[in-house]
Amino acid sequence: MARFLSRAGTNIDDLERQLARVGSNENENDTSADEANLHAAAGKVAGETTALLTGDHAQYTQIGMRGDAGGRKRRDEHRSGGVRKLGTWDGVFMPVMLSIWGILVYVRMGYFLSQVGVAGTVASFVCGYLTTTMTTLSISAISTNGTVKGGGPYYMLSRSLGPEFGGSIGLMFYAGTLLSAVLNTVAFVEPLLSNFGQAQGDVSHLFPEGTNWHILYSSILFTLCTVVCLTGAQVFARASTVLSTFIIASTGMILLSFAARQPFVDVEKSVYYTSWSMDTFRENLWPDLRPIAEGRPSETIGSVLGVLFPACIGIMAGASMSASLRKPSKSIPKGTLWAVLLTFVLYMAIVLCLGATTRRVTLRENFNVLQEINVLPIIVPVGAIITGVTSTLSGVLSSASVLQAIAKDDLFAFLRPLKQRAGSDSMTRAILTTYAFGQMAFFVGDTNAVAPFTTMFNLIMFAFVNLACLVLKLAASVNFRPTFHYFKAWTACLGALGCFTIMCVVDVVSALVSTGVVTVLFLYVHYTCPPKAWGDVTQSLIYHQCRKYMLRLDLRKDHVKFWRPQILLLVHNPRSSLQLIRFCNALKKGGLYVIGHVIKGDFHLMLPEFRLQEAAWLKLVDVLCVKAFVNLTVAPSDDQGARSIAFGAGLGGMRPNIVVLGFLNRGLEAQASGEALPTDEIRLNDPIDAMSYVRIIEDVMAMGKAVGVAYGFSKLELFPTGGASSDTVLPLAGATAGNKQYIDLWPIQIGTATVRPAGGQHSAYLTNFDSYVMVLQLGTVLHLVPYWARRFTLRVMCFVEHQCDVAEEARRVAKLLRDLRVDAELHVHHLRDSGLATYDEAR
């Protein structure tokens, strides 16, 4: 009993670990050797602990306490490789808050209020934060549904929507985060020179001014931030914590100045500060869109929103650092939501206070209004400069983390040089690459020209994060069980719609260009990236929709007007049946196509062979590019196996109505030559005997299905495959445009009786036309395939016993072809015609 409990405990422990990893959908190759050893040790300890259930309770308690005290700490240190991971405060809350609380607060708040007023600014922030909050809920749901590794949002998307969406959107997000860091670096120079420039410095005259100097200062700051990031996430966290104290002090001083500053006027700087005034609030309440400079067009809601929205998009900073977090699933939702809430409250406080205390002319003409009305003016430029530094630090590290994760997954061939050695989490190459791209961006010229793409790239990422969660929720995936319970399907839908709406409002052209770039990257990954064993939500969604509509496909509502061939092809040797497999693929016309194969032998002995053959047959279907399902079975005889496949093939209203099998040739099949096939190495059965062959036909007819016997297909020669288009489903040699060939249909009437009506001139047939019409229908379906329509002519061949009946038969069949809308040549022959040639003679 003790051994049984120990073994069961180990299996349960293994199962729990596997279930914990299901939500992450991670690749097995991503697991390092250290983690594998740790899991093995944990499984061993779990087995020993479970075995103690039958022993002394004191021993169990002692071991449990010892594990709680030291095991957790040792596991964390072992998994992190001896490096202390970041927590919620320094790993998520501070990076997100510093990314959201950008330099726009200090240099563009007056611009927002002067153009769209207090109401428009509040509405813009509400729309932006509503979108980012919905996205934050989606991020929290994904991060609490499984393991989140390096790359944060990219990892979430790639493991949810697949490598195509993950790679394309992840690379766009990398570009957006990098551009955001570049723009923050450029914005850093504005308060620096306005306060310390040689020509326009208000505090001192230290730094030379000019375009080249502006680029130099930006480059120096970007270089220093890159050096800090190269030292590691710990140094970045410490630097952010230290610098954040100055930002907090400047923000607090801004809010304090609204209460402590007395009204004053500075005509030289166009400053009209009224302190708290309802008249000032009414003056600034509504939008008043005007040009910001002479000769420029008037501002629009979209242009203002495009400048304002980057102040709301820093929510991914914490998720991007998931590789450096101690508990990503706990820290990401908690830290991100608190940072979003705090920054929104601060934004609203500054907007309302500034709109109620400062006249509109000041807001329009002096963008440094927060510094001019501050009781300690120097604190504002210091806060702006430090905000630029922290935002640049966060942007460089976050973008490099995403780039490193994409390179590690080997989605883009041009990123392979950035891959680190196996088991290494170093981002040195990614950071240096990001640094190089950032330095090149400074020399573009007009940095504001790329500013809209910063908003677009981030909005695309937000939209697809919400879309991923929405699809997971709608698909009812059983493994999508986030511990974050505030996420709902409508929040993801609202977030996705909000992102796409803001993209169109800001700039339609930029939105279309961004979408085009995503499409190109998507196609690149789709056609060049090898398959990844990550799993994606599209399979779950397809399954959900298929099950839904399969239930609606009711056999009782089937009608002959909507009949289509649904084929079950029984194959013995795939090598000699290649042409037949392709032919049936052309014949199905959008219907069900199942390839069946019987493995003869004992079920338990043949089960390993079954698994091997199933994989080989599935690969064969991919190689031949046929749209078919594979159905294998193990049975003691061919006829029993065929009966099992015919009974079990299909589902619901999609079941085969035609069973096709090759002609009985007693093992004398012609072996077709060609390249190697996945099924060449499978174990083939002995040739089927005549008795079993006849039984299969009898069983199929007893089931009410049509039977097709294929003869001569192994002798057909394949058309050269080079440059063949997708419509050449079954190409034949010699079938060129100048050498017209025919598809001959020989419909046969079954159970015919002749009746001559009283007073009538023509005889009438009482005939079962099921097989007759089906032959015509199958020929028509085959002729609908473009290749066959271009190279072949449909021909109906009928025969009668006497020559005198030829004209009557031709009339009846011609009328039938017109009624059935079958475009074919009609030839009627009689049995006494000795001039007819056989097909072999005609060739």
Side-chain angles (χ1 to χ4, degrees), residues 246-257:
F246 294 95
I247 299 176
I248 295 172
S250 64
T251 304
M253 190 59 66
I254 289 173
L255 296 175
L256 179 63
S257 298

Side-chain angles (χ1 to χ4, degrees), residues 498-567:
C499 291
F500 289 122
T501 301
I502 294 176
M503 287 176 62
C504 296
V505 171
V506 171
D507 189 355
V508 176
V509 176
S510 299
L512 293 176
V513 171
S514 303
T515 305
V517 174
V518 170
T519 304
V520 171
L521 293 174
F522 180 94
L523 295 176
Y524 176 87
V525 176
H526 180 74
Y527 287 107
T528 63
C529 178
K532 300 291 183 180
W534 297 342
D536 58 84
V537 72
T538 57
Q539 294 298 311
S540 179
L541 184 62
I542 292 172
Y543 174 85
H544 180 270
Q545 293 300 106
C546 286
R547 183 192 63 84
K548 174 182 177 181
Y549 288 106
M550 284 294 293
L551 291 173
R552 294 186 180 184
L553 191 60
D554 194 346
L555 280 174
R556 295 167 294 182
K557 299 179 181 179
D558 197 11
H559 196 276
V560 67
K561 289 190 300 184
F562 308 106
W563 180 92
R564 66 179 66 218
Q566 303 191 93
I567 301 172

Side-chain angles (χ1 to χ4, degrees), residues 111-112 115-116 124 289-290 292 296-310 451-452 455 502 504-507:
Y111 163 77
F112 300 146
Q115 294 293 334
V116 296
S124 299
L289 298 170
R290 296 184 184 181
I292 61 175
R296 295 191 59 176
S298 178
E299 296 295 295
T300 63
I301 296 294
S303 62
V304 175
L305 185 59
V307 178
L308 181 145
F309 191 79
T455 301
I502 294 176
C504 296
V505 171
V506 171
D507 189 355

Side-chain angles (χ1 to χ4, degrees), residues 613-637:
Q613 288 204 24
E614 185 177 38
W617 280 92
L618 290 174
K619 290 181 181 179
L620 178 68
V621 168
D622 295 335
V623 170
L624 298 182
C625 299
V626 295
K627 300 177 181 179
F629 297 96
V630 174
N631 195 341
L632 307 183
T633 189
V634 178
S637 63

Side-chain angles (χ1 to χ4, degrees), residues 753-766 804-805 808 812:
T754 304
V755 177
R756 185 172 300 275
Q761 298 180 355
H762 304 290
S763 60
Y765 286 117
L766 297 178
C804 60
D805 296 327
E808 179 68 18
R812 282 194 296 267

